[in-house]
Each structure stands twice: as structure tokens, then as C-alpha cells.
Amino acid sequence: MTKPTFWLRCETKEFERRAALTPTTAKRLIDAGFQIFVEREEQRIFDDSEYEAVGCTLVENNSWPKAPTEVTIIGLKELEESTDPLPHTHIQFAHCYKNQGGWSKVLSRFHRGGGTLYDLEFLNDASGRRVAAFGFHAGFAGAAAGALALSAQKKGEKLGLLQPFENEEAMVATVKQLLGGSGKGVKALVMGALGRCGRGAVDLFRKIGLAEDDILKWDLEETAKGGPFKEILDVDIFVNCIYLNSKIPSFVTREQIIAAGKQRKLSVVVDVSCDTTNPFNPIPIYSINTTFAEPTVAVDVGAQNPALSVISIDHLPTLLPREASEQFSMDLLPSLLEWPNRQTARVWTDAEKLFKDKLGAAAVAEGLV
């Protein structure tokens, strides 16, 4: 194929409605000389016809394994578990660079197939900042889910199925309604409040009516003394938005929670960072990822103590799929336009070097060398 080509694969993760390429960004790429294949997908927030209308070529659902190996496959979430070798170049979130559970098995598929991974989480600009991230919408949606869980818990119920919202306004209106008209009186602590994710969480809490003094905004300065932090137990909702890349003291522990007994105010923990299987997870009070179907997991807090639940959904921005996709894809677009020059374009050469480093470690871990 003479034109630079991207193949937008379907997302197989349940409830995932976002897309790495939107009709808007696909058209920009086509106008720049790219060819774009799009797998038919009913779950995606954008209709197939929207892509077709801007010049994309529609192909069969989940047919990317049959695509020519010189075609680059682009998606969002990790591929389904398999041992099949991967001969293509993939652009996606793979969640395997920080020693997460099963990391070496994921990378071993590339080793055996000869393919390459450009992990979206590690595409950085010259200052080391990610070129595209769902952080704001992750924080916004995470805070909303936390407020919904708190509302249910106050009624003696468990939060049920979470459905994507049409837009931010619909999300805010629903949360306010279920809180009795406003979030006034609710107290929240946002960890990592100065980052994109943290700013999103703070924005949601403001929009549902929390008083400014009831939104504790913590970042490096507030956490410098090291945890665990008693202050977390004194709020209704704790939202963790930090980016974890090394071991740090735990923010909160089960022992601390049990010791607080009935004096604890904390009812809901939202771990937006979702480092569930990371050995450095600073919230070691749960051990599973939750889902849109089962958004919360109960924490063992000891007999007779008030309930505490954790939300640890690893694709929260899909609660706002259209807005989150448009923002992310537009931020990613300048780097995608550089794809034909990926042998020299720094964002891509850095990502490839990191892949090769991680691939070597995985090959050793899996006994492939």
C-alpha cells in the first residue's frame, strides 16, 4: 500500500463505546493523504455511516488479524487475552509496561509475531507530557460515579449498572437529581488535583454543587509527609487521580480503616488510576477491577462498621464516550499526522525504544531468549 494506512479496530471490552479515531479526525487524516479502514461496530458511539460519509472504507467487524501486516492497527483498550502471535504494528493502550498482572505474556505475543507496540500511554511530547490522554474525562466520570455510589449507599442500596451519558450536562443533571437536587453537604478529597484527571474530578464536584471548601485538592505538597492519611477517612468520597510510576507509602490501609471504627466518614473510594495489579498500588484495600455492570466492590471493614465501597473501573471515560473520544483523538491527531515520518519523529522513536526495552524484559521473563 502506497498511502499511509490506519485500520481502526473494534473494541471488544464490554461497554466500551469510545474510539481512537473519530469521523472528524479520520477526515483530517484522509485529507492529508491517509487511507483509513474502519471495522463495522454497533457498540461504538459513532455510527458506521459517519465514518463512511467522510471517506473511510468499512470492513468486517474484528477482521484486523486478516489485514496485510504492513497496515497499522489502531484501537484503544487492550486486546482480548490470547497466545496468538502479533505480526502487525499496533497503536493502543496495552497496560503492560508497569509490571501489571500478565504483562510479559502480552508482550511475548509481539516477540513471537514480530509486531510492534506503540503504547498510547507513553506517547510523550518534548517535555515528557502525554500528547493525548483521557485524564480529564476519567476524573470527571470517576467523580460522578463516586457521587452516584454515595447516593445509593445512603439509601442502603448498592450502585447498579452504569450506562454512558449523552453528554456532560446529562451526567451532571442525573447526579444532582439522585443526590436530592445538589451535592451540597458532601465532602470529597481529590488526590492529584493539579493534573488533568484531578481537574476533571474537581470540575464535576463543583458542577454538582459541592461547596469549594468541601473539595479538598491534594497534590505533591499535601502528600509530601507520606501516608497513610487520616484526612481521607474524614470525607465522603476519595478520588485517586495520581499517575503511579514508583513505590510510595499507602494513602489508606485496611488496618487504618478498621481502627477508625464508627468514626470513619469515608464511604466511597474511586480509584481512577486503577493500578489494581500494580505491586505499588497505594490503595491496598481491594484487589479486583470493577465494571459498569458491577461498579463497586465492598471493602472488608470489620463487623458493625459503616460500609465502604471501591470503584475501580479502568475505562471510566466511556461514560462520556463521544466527548471523550473527540477530545482524545484531536489531541492525538498531530502525532498521527507524523506517522509517515515515524523513523525520525521523536514521539514515535521514543515510544519504539521503550517498546524494545520492555520487549526484551518480557522475553527474559517468558523464557524466550
Side-chain angles (χ1 to χ4, degrees), residues 12-217:
T12 56
K13 193 177 186 75
E14 191 176 20
F15 301 111
E16 182 55 79
R17 303 193 68 197
R18 294 172 296 166
L21 297 180
T22 68
T24 303
T25 52
K27 184 179 188 305
R28 294 278 292 273
L29 288 165
I30 290 169
D31 289 346
F34 285 72
Q35 183 170 12
I36 308 295
F37 292 94
V38 176
E39 293 186 353
R40 297 180 185 275
E41 175 58 77
E42 292 184 1
Q43 182 172 270
R44 190 186 293 128
I45 188 65
F46 304 100
D47 291 338
D48 294 342
S49 60
E50 295 182 67
Y51 289 99
E52 194 169 34
V54 299
C56 298
T57 301
L58 297 182
V59 292
E60 183 183 347
N61 181 276
N62 206 27
S63 58
W64 64 264
K66 302 174 187 174
T69 55
E70 65 268 23
V71 170
T72 300
I73 313 301
I74 185 167
L76 281 180
K77 299 304 290 182
E78 64 272 21
L79 299 171
E80 290 182 295
E81 287 188 21
S82 171
T83 57
D84 292 344
L86 293 171
H88 293 89
T89 292
H90 287 259
I91 301 173
Q92 64 176 67
F93 289 103
H95 305 296
C96 62
Y97 281 5
K98 295 190 287 184
N99 294 342
Q100 295 98 324
W103 71 275
S104 59
K105 286 182 170 38
V106 172
L107 286 169
S108 71
R109 297 179 65 191
F110 288 95
H111 186 277
R112 287 181 283 108
T116 303
L117 169 66
Y118 292 92
D119 196 308
L120 289 166
E121 185 177 351
F122 298 92
L123 298 183
N124 298 324
D125 63 19
S127 67
R129 184 177 174 83
R130 287 168 62 177
V131 299
F134 284 102
F136 182 87
H137 287 99
F140 196 94
L148 291 172
L150 179 67
S151 170
Q153 204 160 297
K154 285 184 173 180
K155 299 170 187 171
E157 302 170 357
K158 182 179 179 180
L159 181 61
L161 174 67
L162 286 176
Q163 298 274 18
F165 293 85
E166 278 300 312
N167 50 48
E168 287 184 10
E169 290 74 19
M171 174 181 277
V172 169
T174 298
V175 174
K176 289 174 71 174
Q177 177 189 355
L178 291 173
L179 285 173
S182 168
K184 186 176 181 180
V186 173
K187 193 168 184 178
L189 190 154
V190 178
M191 191 75 78
L194 299 182
R196 283 183 277 209
C197 179
R199 292 198 302 271
V202 170
D203 189 43
L204 181 282
F205 285 135
R206 284 173 175 154
K207 285 179 176 174
I208 64 171
L210 269 69
E212 197 67 28
D213 288 346
D214 285 338
I215 309 172
L216 279 65
K217 310 169 194 71

Side-chain angles (χ1 to χ4, degrees), residues 153 254-264 266-267 299-308:
Q153 204 160 297
R254 181 169 174 271
E255 293 75 19
Q256 177 194 18
I257 290 167
I258 292 173
K262 292 182 171 59
Q263 302 304 309
R264 169 177 49 84
L266 181 67
S267 295
V299 177
D300 181 1
V301 295
Q304 308 304 315
N305 287 328
L308 173 62

Side-chain angles (χ1 to χ4, degrees), residues 208-242:
I208 64 171
L210 269 69
E212 197 67 28
D213 288 346
D214 285 338
I215 309 172
L216 279 65
K217 310 169 194 71
W218 280 30
D219 214 275
L220 292 175
E221 182 179 343
E222 291 79 8
T223 59
K225 62 183 179 181
F229 302 105
K230 179 185 177 299
E231 294 90 338
I232 292 175
L233 304 183
D234 297 330
V235 299
D236 297 290
I237 305 170
F238 167 49
V239 183
N240 177 40
C241 294
I242 70 155

